Amino acid sequence: PSVVKTVRAKTIAEGRRFRHLNYIRNLEPHIVDEPPALLGDDTAPNPTEALLAALGTCVAVGIQANAVARGWTVKGITIESEGDINITSVWGTGDLSEKPVGLTAVRLKAHLDIEGASAAELDALVAHAAQWSPVLNTVKNPVDVTLARA
């Protein structure tokens, strides 16, 4: 690819507590909900879990694409993602004392079953995927984000 592309999603509150439908291209809606502790119906991942899933997926795609480009046989890729978040002030409705808002740490573990590569090559592959992952770099690096009423 050699072009900058604008990607879009539209999120619509379904009206059932905190369940939302997310429309992307012409695909069926991707549902995001909250667990009961955060007043949701627990029917789908919450937004932070969806972010971790997007992060893991982007890293896995990068690992797979680069392994295939190197001629290695990919038998399996599993990315475990976890993050730490203080939910006491989520949405600005709880304890509003000074504290970080959002994830404060994210840990990814890549479990790879790839034939034809040494351990050192697999380590380099993971580092390369991290360097070039759009979602990982969006999370890791500052990005200009605006929110305004339409």
Side-chain angles (χ1 to χ4, degrees), residues 1-9 24-27 134 138 143:
S2 61
V3 62
V4 173
K5 181 177 178 176
T6 300
V7 294
R8 292 180 173 80
I24 301 161
R25 298 191 311 268
N26 60 350
L27 302 171
T138 299
V143 61

Side-chain angles (χ1 to χ4, degrees), residues 36-55:
L38 293 175
L39 307 176
D41 293 324
D42 207 20
T43 62
N46 71 32
T48 305
E49 294 163 335
L51 174 70
L52 289 176
L55 177 57

Side-chain angles (χ1 to χ4, degrees), residues 15-102:
R16 296 179 48 207
R17 296 168 45 117
F18 289 112
R19 184 177 153 110
H20 292 80
L21 304 176
N22 294 278
Y23 294 91
I24 301 161
R25 298 191 311 268
N26 60 350
L27 302 171
E28 291 295 315
H30 172 80
I31 299 168
V32 176
D33 197 358
E34 293 285 355
L38 293 175
L39 307 176
D41 293 324
D42 207 20
T43 62
N46 71 32
T48 305
E49 294 163 335
L51 174 70
L52 289 176
L55 177 57
T57 300
C58 192
V59 168
V61 166
I63 290 171
Q64 185 172 5
N66 281 279
V68 169
R70 288 166 173 77
W72 301 334
T73 302
V74 177
K75 297 176 83 179
I77 297 172
T78 300
I79 307 295
E80 290 183 44
S81 309
E82 65 181 15
D84 303 326
I85 185 170
N86 182 333
I87 63 168
T88 61
S89 63
V90 79
W91 315 309
T93 60
D95 172 14
L96 301 183
S97 63
E98 186 79 18
K99 66 179 73 62
V101 176

